[in-house]
Amino acid sequence: MSAYQQLESIFKKTHHLNHLHAIVSWDEAVMMPPGGGDARAEALGTLSSISHETITQPQTADWLEQANQDNSLNNWQKANLKWMAKKYKNATCIPAELVRQITQASITCEQAWRQMKADNNWKDFAPLLEKTLNLVKESAAIRADSFKQSPYDILIDDFSSEINQAIIDPIFTELKATLPAITQQAQERQKQISIIKPTGKFPIDKQRELSKALMQAIGFDFNRGRLDVSHHPFCGGVSEDVRITTRYNENEFISSAMAICHETGHARYEQDLPTEWLHQPVGQIHSMALHESQSLLIEMQACRSREFMDFLAPLAQQFFGEQEAINPDNLYHLYTHVKPDFIRVDADELTYPLHVILRYELEKQLIEGNLLVKELPAAWNELMQKYLGINPKDNYALGVMQDVHWPSGAFGYFPAYTLGAIIAAQLFAKAKIEYPDIPQQLAQGNFSHLYEWLKNNVHSKASSLSTQELLTQATGNPLSAENYLQHIQKRYID
Ligand SMILES: [Zn+2]
């Protein structure tokens, strides 16, 4: 076996371990009784350390060096080798003891956060967050040294691979300069529209049938995936067995229907990955930014379009009966209603990026040491006032304590959401140029041309290209907010 082949067999083994990790994590969120929690965390910890040992075994460094000299590798193999080297470096450059401390601190902090958020208890939460932050900073500093990047860029790269502050800053500056004014204009305009809320009970079993009908239309492969219920909707599992979840509320079906469109967007990206590379790093989804672009493309661009409401309204009537509120125009107004609010996950399309930019600016300062945890609530409220015109004051659950990301140690994650929205707009604009009938198809619940384009230009590439290369090949341009701003102008202002 060549050195490269040796590496492939190592990474195939870790892929199998990751497969089990993914399914067991799904089980934890969907099936596991509460008493199983501690034992499950321990078992998953063991699985992770076996995976870590597999990658960091003594021969890996030699094989990486030898494979680097191998002139017979094709482009996919070369890209695969690049990912392997990056994973190896990430796995070896941080002392095992520090990794253990980060895992421990973030689990403790996240578990405490759940109750302390409910109790609005910032005072006891702050020291736990500080401990997690300091350990993340320590690890980021070591990796920054090894990868020759700034610590915050290193953390961004964990979730938005090969994207850094130099790429993000001008885009976020542009959004900051335009979105507050557009939000106000959109709100003015929407004052003239009266929205009717659907009323009555929407039985869970009917909502489940609607969910499955939507997944069917979008092209979810039920032979290689399933739908279940969890506390927060997510997409998990592996390409051959994708597990998506949603949650239902008997009093309304609007939010669950759109959560399904979102998660199915994630699922199709996974299900459409090239089968011959599935067990290798190059065959995986590229990054959270790209993953989010695929869910937001389906949710925000396709399924919240006025055209799609022509399909959704009669479909919803099939399950819930006819009522005035369930007509295409009214559903469209419901799904595009703009209102600045405190909670990011409930935010509309226009204000969502402002929630992200606020977090981006704060975590950057936290990581760089220019902002202390004790100063965080005041800094949060100040930016909230500046960007969204509202202030949560001492209600921390509506402010600085609302997200799971920081307590779980996931600093650097937030930009991926807005990068995803921007990439989604850029890809959708180009797909519509190549297939002008996409909007008419969506009006019939037909996603075939949209997915033909996405499969060819995004899904089949897996991780063989960087985000900038992928976007340039697919759309002719690197990452740019232009299409996103045109999209919101058209949807909310014109
Ligand atoms: Zn998502």
Side-chain angles (χ1 to χ4, degrees):
M1 256 204 280
S2 73
Y4 175 79
Q5 286 166 330
Q6 296 278 14
L7 290 167
E8 274 205 347
S9 81
I10 287 181
F11 280 89
K12 186 173 183 178
K13 188 172 166 191
T14 62
H15 175 66
H16 289 154
L17 297 170
N18 292 342
H19 177 152
L20 298 177
H21 201 291
I23 298 297
V24 170
S25 301
W26 166 88
D27 176 271
E28 189 179 345
V30 174
M31 304 292 286
M32 192 186 73
D38 290 346
R40 181 62 54 86
E42 248 186 85
L44 282 172
T46 300
L47 199 56
S48 295
S49 51
I50 296 173
S51 184
H52 186 263
E53 284 159 19
T54 308
I55 293 179
T56 57
Q57 60 184 277
Q59 304 96 315
T60 309
D62 290 343
W63 287 332
L64 282 169
E65 217 182 296
Q66 285 172 42
N68 249 331
Q69 317 296 325
D70 188 341
N71 295 321
S72 69
L73 302 184
N74 65 32
N75 285 342
W76 275 73
Q77 290 169 323
K78 280 184 204 155
N80 198 28
L81 185 60
K82 206 180 77 189
W83 283 104
M84 291 165 169
K86 188 172 175 181
K87 282 177 189 293
Y88 177 74
K89 204 163 154 183
N90 262 319
T92 48
C93 74
I94 307 169
E97 175 54 19
L98 181 55
V99 175
R100 197 196 59 75
Q101 284 177 356
I102 292 176
T103 310
Q104 196 62 50
S106 55
I107 289 175
T108 308
C109 187
E110 188 187 327
Q111 281 174 356
W113 166 77
R114 290 180 199 285
Q115 189 55 48
M116 289 175 180
K117 178 183 159 188
D119 300 340
N120 199 42
N121 181 358
W122 165 258
K123 198 175 133 284
D124 291 326
F125 172 67
L128 297 174
L129 181 64
E130 196 172 0
K131 187 172 180 193
T132 304
L133 171 68
N134 286 339
L135 291 165
V136 169
K137 273 167 74 174
E138 196 181 331
S139 135
I142 296 172
R143 290 197 290 148
D145 217 33
S146 172
F147 284 90
K148 307 280 172 265
Q149 286 170 10
S150 82
Y152 187 45
D153 278 342
I154 283 286
L155 296 172
I156 293 171
D157 189 88
D158 287 341
F159 308 101
S160 305
S161 202
E162 289 144 327
I163 300 282
N164 54 32
Q165 294 166 78
I167 298 171
I168 295 174
D169 281 341
I171 291 175
F172 281 10
T173 303
E174 199 178 357
L175 295 183
K176 247 175 15 178
T178 36
L179 286 179
I182 296 181
T183 303
Q184 272 190 355
Q185 273 178 285
Q187 279 187 287
E188 270 313 304
R189 198 170 156 260
Q190 291 184 348
K191 275 184 189 158
Q192 294 143 23
I193 302 165
S194 60
I195 299 180
I196 317 160
K197 279 220 160 123
T199 52
K201 289 282 177 212
F202 302 93
I204 308 270
D205 58 327
K206 296 282 180 203
Q207 290 200 50
R208 193 179 303 118
E209 284 176 46
L210 172 65
S211 298
K212 290 202 167 162
L214 286 168
M215 290 164 74
Q216 201 93 48
I218 299 170
F220 185 87
D221 180 356
F222 282 94
N223 190 40
R224 292 184 298 139
R226 45 179 294 136
L227 168 68
D228 293 275
V229 172
S230 68
H231 206 65
H232 292 287
F234 69 88
C235 172
V238 291
S239 177
E240 302 93 330
D241 183 1
V242 176
R243 308 293 176 92
I244 70 169
T245 68
T246 188
R247 57 183 165 196
Y248 302 109
N249 170 356
E250 254 194 341
N251 299 313
E252 63 104 9
F253 70 94
I254 296 294
S255 50
S256 172
M258 226 21 89
I260 283 289
C261 296
H262 182 96
E263 299 308 333
T264 309
H266 278 305
R268 280 222 52 180
Y269 182 21
E270 297 271 359
Q271 290 187 327
D272 291 347
L273 290 170
T275 37
E276 63 275 30
W277 283 100
L278 279 183
H279 52 284
Q280 292 299 315
V282 73
Q284 304 301 305
I285 60 111
H286 180 269
S287 61
M288 287 322 293
L290 221 55
H291 219 323
E292 209 55 39
S293 82
Q294 295 309 293
S295 55
L296 290 173
L297 196 155
I298 295 307
E299 181 197 348
M300 291 296 179
Q301 301 287 328
C303 295
R304 279 181 207 250
S305 68
R306 174 59 187 82
E307 289 86 0
F308 186 70
M309 299 304 152
D310 284 340
F311 171 72
L312 180 60
L315 187 69
Q317 280 175 10
Q318 255 181 50
F319 297 107
F320 308 124
E322 284 185 29
Q323 60 168 282
E324 206 192 347
I326 309 181
N327 77 67
D329 281 324
N330 189 59
L331 286 184
Y332 182 62
H333 294 143
L334 270 167
Y335 276 125
T336 53
H337 185 63
V338 175
K339 187 174 182 292
D341 216 328
F342 295 113
I343 302 293
R344 174 186 58 85
V345 293
D346 297 332
D348 58 75
E349 189 178 17
L350 281 187
T351 53
Y352 197 107
L354 296 168
H355 287 267
V356 167
I357 292 169
L358 171 150
R359 288 155 175 79
Y360 171 73
E361 293 179 345
L362 294 178
E363 66 179 12
K364 175 187 158 98
Q365 292 182 64
L366 286 171
I367 296 298
E368 287 172 351
N370 298 323
L371 181 71
L372 301 174
V373 166
K374 67 174 182 196
E375 300 165 334
L376 194 52
W380 179 287
N381 291 354
E382 194 191 318
L383 286 186
M384 202 71 190
Q385 187 68 53
K386 190 169 152 196
Y387 297 153
L388 289 149
I390 50 179
N391 189 336
K393 303 251 170 66
D394 291 343
N395 193 334
Y396 303 111
L398 288 182
V400 67
M401 284 178 79
Q402 65 180 273
D403 300 303
V404 67
H405 302 63
W406 290 344
S408 67
F411 294 87
Y413 193 117
F414 287 115
Y417 294 117
T418 290
L419 294 171
I422 289 168
I423 295 168
Q426 196 169 336
L427 293 172
F428 193 59
K430 183 65 177 180
K432 282 193 295 185
I433 291 172
E434 287 188 25
Y435 291 103
D437 66 342
I438 284 177
Q440 289 95 294
Q441 283 202 337
L442 290 175
Q444 291 156 359
N446 177 352
F447 288 73
S448 59
H449 280 166
L450 177 55
Y451 270 113
E452 198 172 307
W453 191 85
L454 284 174
K455 261 182 147 169
N456 286 335
N457 290 283
V458 182
H459 302 177
S460 64
K461 311 287 182 195
S463 288
S464 66
L465 304 171
S466 72
T467 305
Q468 295 291 43
E469 287 166 346
L470 182 138
L471 281 173
T472 307
Q473 285 188 17
T475 72
N477 293 304
L479 186 66
S480 149
E482 196 186 329
N483 293 123
Y484 175 78
L485 290 170
Q486 281 168 355
H487 155 73
I488 56 173
Q489 175 77 26
K490 189 161 175 258
R491 180 171 283 178
Y492 294 94
I493 304 298
D494 289 350

